Amino acid sequence: MINFQYTRASDVADAVRQVAADPTAKFIAGGTNLIDLMKEDVERPARLIDISRLPLKTVEETAEGGLRIGALVPNSDLAYHPLIAQRYPILASAILAGASAQLRNMASTGGNLLQRTRCSYFYDLATPCNKREPGSGCSAITGLNRMHAILGTSDACIATHPSDMCVALAALDAKVHVAGPAGGRVIAFSNFHRLPENTPQRDTNLHPNEIVTAVELPARGFAANYTYLKIRDRLSYAFALVSVAAALELEGDTIKEARLALGSVAHKPWRDPSAEAALRGEAANQATFTRAADLLLHDAKGFKHNAFKIDLARQAIVRALTQAAAGTPQSQSDKKIR
Ligand SMILES: Cc1cc2nc3c(=O)[nH]c(=O)nc-3n(C[C@H](O)[C@H](O)[C@H](O)COP(=O)(O)OP(=O)(O)OC[C@H]3O[C@@H](n4cnc5c(N)ncnc54)[C@H](O)[C@@H]3O)c2cc1C
Ligand code: SF4
């Protein structure tokens, strides 16, 4: 049993004060990731600061025509929120593709962004892992790496970010609002998560003394032509091998605007402006989609057990874009199961 202190934050300023005062402290929201990591002895916070009662549970319209989602809005409430379901169905679809109904009821918006990798060596204290223990080595590079990254890897770490929700947020160009001792700041979603480089212990650009307060969606929701496609070993309750968020705006058969993000292939949701530029102004057909897929996967590199993900991702991108262009119903996970 490893002892830890438990405190409750009374407001956002108090949460920031408490976390800034104790470098060994961690926030706890839904607890669905952090408690597991503590039980496995991977995370050892000396203090848990409970933020679950802070007033960050609303979804509000912004003056710019978008939405501001409080960091403590549960994943299930967000997926079924009428404004999300109507205007940002790609986000609802991605959330409902993740975890289980019970977990989604507990999991928070901020916690989903900050969930940690599912690399099995990260969880296994008997093996070297640079993310868990910087400088110890990476067991996955020469080990069982079937679920690991094919893009943006480094010699220090080839882990993936496991979130589904974040792939849709990346495609939607969301922003992350955070608060720290120096006040608030806004981080573009594309800059929120980091590539591993030589600091794989740092998943995001959030400072240790900052709290996520909200996620902001811009007005553009791509509600007519979108797909979140999640490829996994079984149809529910499994992390993705590859996922694709594809969002299009069409004028007839011509693509006016396009977004394409991949999940579970890198340390962060993966986008490439060249792939999206290759879609804009082009006919929505297989040749265009294949060209975009090739551009998005241009730098992909497989390891011993995961090279299959490159072709899997290519086919998933083409399928997701084809579905998005056709405006077809989405995956099984869109069925309303609470
Ligand atoms: C069995 C299982 C299956 C799952 N399957 C999927 C899946 O298929 N797809 C998927 O996307 N996810 C999946 N998940 C992950 C799940 O979505 C996350 O565990 C959840 O979103 C985390 O949210 P939480 O509020 O419980 O976070 P917590 O566990 O409370 O916190 C996680 C981390 O975020 C930090 N944190 C939380 N809130 C804030 C904040 N506002 N500001 C700063 N830091 C914060 C905490 O300090 C901690 O480090 C699964 C989880 C489990 C257990
Ligand atoms: S891939 Fe990253 S998380 Fe996994 S063992 Fe290597 S360093 Fe650790």
Side-chain angles (χ1 to χ4, degrees), residues 124-147:
D124 180 358
L125 298 191
T127 59
C129 168
N130 285 325
K131 187 180 278 297
R132 178 170 30 77
E133 200 181 324
S136 63
C138 172
S139 301
I141 289 176
T142 53
L144 294 173
N145 45 37
R146 182 171 175 274
M147 300 290 288

Side-chain angles (χ1 to χ4, degrees), residues 16-47:
V16 169
R17 234 182 343 261
Q18 288 199 43
V19 84
D22 184 351
T24 65
K26 287 225 121 189
F27 294 129
I28 182 159
T32 62
N33 189 217
L34 183 55
I35 296 292
D36 280 358
L37 290 165
M38 288 172 70
K39 284 186 197 158
E40 298 290 335
D41 210 8
V42 177
E43 299 256 24
R44 295 175 169 214
R47 175 193 293 261

